[in-house]
């Protein structure tokens, strides 16, 4: 198993940059997880890291996804299932990517 760094952003917003979608602020933290983590385990890690109260807040997760190599273009893709999450894991290394960038949005329940 490999360890995968996840750059986690929240309390900002997505913006259009030179290479497509990016985040307005620097990452708040880096999570390092095993590459066999499933989506619900990822959500558990997000709650533990952010300190958000699971009974008061839901979380929406999007990832920065490389769609073209030349020119490099990224889009934000909502992640809500194991299948989509596994797509992100499978794309590590493509285009030189060594981490996954996650955009987290806290929503009141």
């Amino acid at each position: 198993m490999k360890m995968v760094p996840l750059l986690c952003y929240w309390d900002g917003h997505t913006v259009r940059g030179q290479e497509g979608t990016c985040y307005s602020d620097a990452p708040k933290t880096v999570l390092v997880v095993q590459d066999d983590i499933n989506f619900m385990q990822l959500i558990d890690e997000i709650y533990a890291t952010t300190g958000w109260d699971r009974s008061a807040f839901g979380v929406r997760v999007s990832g920065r996804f490389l769609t073209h190599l030349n020119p490099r273009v990224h889009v934000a893709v909502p992640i809500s299932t194991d299948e989509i999450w596994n797509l992100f894991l499978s794309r590590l290394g493509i285009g030189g990517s060594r981490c996954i960038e996650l955009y987290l949005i806290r929503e009141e329940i």
Side-chain angles (χ1 to χ4, degrees):
M1 267 176 255
K2 294 186 298 185
M3 301 306 285
V4 178
L6 309 175
L7 301 179
C8 298
Y9 302 80
W10 66 89
D11 290 339
H13 54 277
T14 57
V15 295
R16 185 93 177 137
Q18 187 175 359
E19 293 184 354
T21 302
C22 57
Y23 208 73
S24 61
D25 300 318
K28 296 272 189 176
T29 194
V30 178
L31 289 175
V32 180
V33 299
Q34 292 183 346
D35 65 353
D36 65 346
I37 189 172
N38 67 41
F39 181 69
M40 289 313 298
Q41 291 168 326
L42 173 64
I43 293 297
D44 291 342
E45 289 287 332
I46 289 170
Y47 277 108
T49 300
T50 60
W52 295 340
D53 179 356
R54 193 182 279 254
S55 65
F57 298 101
V59 62
R60 274 191 301 144
V61 181
S62 293
R64 189 172 188 237
F65 193 82
L66 180 63
T67 59
H68 295 87
L69 287 176
N70 192 13
R72 293 177 67 85
V73 177
H74 295 86
V75 296
V77 174
I79 304 171
S80 58
T81 65
D82 282 334
E83 291 78 20
I84 298 169
W85 172 239
N86 288 331
L87 176 64
F88 275 86
L89 290 171
S90 72
R91 304 267 304 177
L92 276 173
I94 295 175
S97 174
R98 302 283 182 252
C99 65
I100 297 173
E101 295 183 50
L102 297 178
Y103 306 148
L104 311 177
I105 298 174
R106 179 177 58 186
E107 299 177 317
E108 289 190 40
I109 294 178

